[in-house]
Amino acid sequence: GQHLFDALATNSLLRSVNVEWNNLGRLASGSIGKCIASHRSAIEVLIVRDNNVGEGDELYKEMAKGFSLRGDGAQNRSLRTLCLGNTGTTRKGAQILADVLYRNHLPALESLSLFGNPGMSSQGVAHMVDKIPGDCALVSLNLAMCGIGDEGVQALAVSFHNGCPIRDIDLSENNLTDGAAGALKSIVETLHPLDPARQVRVGAQSPALHRLSVVCNKMSLAVVRQLQAKAGSQVTVLAGGNG
């Protein structure tokens, strides 16, 4: 794995790389981070899910280091989809990734999947969302199975700001109860395409929420219906497996 990603860092041909379920570990993680930070890599879709490459934070440290060595304006303008689900990503790793996003080092990134990483903790997730620039390309964020809980969703609701580019949010299997109802309604309101206050602040044509998934949580059917009513026909709320 290490040698593969060392080569991919200067690859100009491959556009999509999928190495899921390959028993990659910490030995390869640093090379993956360097590859993501490389401006010479042509990879647009990188799927590294179900490998323990997030443990120890080496992937994220090397990613940040690779960008910092090239200065504040360093960018990878090719990567559009990054899947790091179930990789053992920690709270520290999530914070480092948040800073990479905040500094606009990945300006073309549209989809980020971090599902199955409960080690990020609700604080790490909230920190990351808070750092997402309003003018970046990121529109899809998968945080399923990250152990966010009601408290974490409340932190997320505060972090999602008017102008946030996210249009597709996955919060499935996060042990959400009726205690998360207010926060979820707040997220829908903040990012709703027809919210008048939002239209005034960020413009009616700005990207807005299209889909919210809260599948397989612990909310009552009454709360699910309230959330769907708040979303209306403009936002799809997926909520199977509750009640």
Side-chain angles (χ1 to χ4, degrees), residues 9 34 48-49 56 64-66 68 90 107 129 135 170-171 189 198 209 221-222 228-229 231-232 237:
K34 292 176 183 177
V48 197
R49 58 170 292 178
K65 180 180 177 181
S68 66
T90 67
V129 172
D135 59 351
D170 195 333
L171 299 175
E189 289 175 348
R198 179 186 174 282
L209 186 64
L221 291 180
Q228 291 172 330
V237 177

Side-chain angles (χ1 to χ4, degrees), residues 42-178:
I43 297 173
E44 297 178 1
V45 178
L46 179 58
I47 301 174
V48 197
R49 58 170 292 178
D50 297 292
N51 290 286
N52 295 324
V53 294
E55 296 179 356
D57 306 322
E58 197 67 22
L59 186 158
Y60 300 101
K61 291 176 182 178
E62 288 298 328
M63 184 195 308
K65 180 180 177 181
F67 284 122
S68 66
L69 288 175
R70 293 193 288 116
D72 290 339
Q75 293 181 326
N76 174 339
R77 299 183 180 182
S78 299
L79 192 62
R80 299 183 182 279
T81 298
L82 178 60
C83 180
L84 294 166
N86 196 25
T87 52
T89 296
T90 67
R91 175 180 175 180
K92 179 64 176 177
Q95 291 174 335
I96 296 173
L97 178 58
D99 290 334
V100 166
L101 296 174
Y102 179 72
R103 296 176 186 276
N104 200 30
H105 289 314
L106 296 170
L109 189 66
E110 299 173 348
S111 176
L112 177 61
S113 293
L114 290 163
F115 60 85
N117 286 306
M120 290 196 303
S121 78
S122 58
Q123 294 90 344
V125 169
H127 178 83
M128 184 175 61
V129 172
D130 190 47
K131 286 279 191 175
I132 296 174
D135 59 351
C136 76
L138 189 65
V139 294
S140 178
L141 182 62
N142 188 334
L143 297 171
M145 300 177 287
C146 283
I148 295 173
D150 294 350
E151 182 179 350
V153 170
Q154 291 166 6
L156 283 177
V158 174
S159 298
F160 276 114
H161 48 81
N162 285 319
C164 176
I166 302 298
R167 286 184 274 176
D168 189 323
I169 310 168
D170 195 333
L171 299 175
S172 302
E173 298 186 62
N174 270 298
N175 297 315
L176 307 183
T177 72
D178 287 358

Side-chain angles (χ1 to χ4, degrees), residues 9-32:
T10 57
N11 151 72
S12 61
L13 297 175
L14 286 176
R15 295 291 187 268
S16 180
V17 176
N18 185 341
V19 292
E20 62 183 73
W21 294 101
N22 266 287
N23 293 316
L24 300 180
R26 294 179 65 173
L27 288 177
S29 61
S31 294
I32 295 172

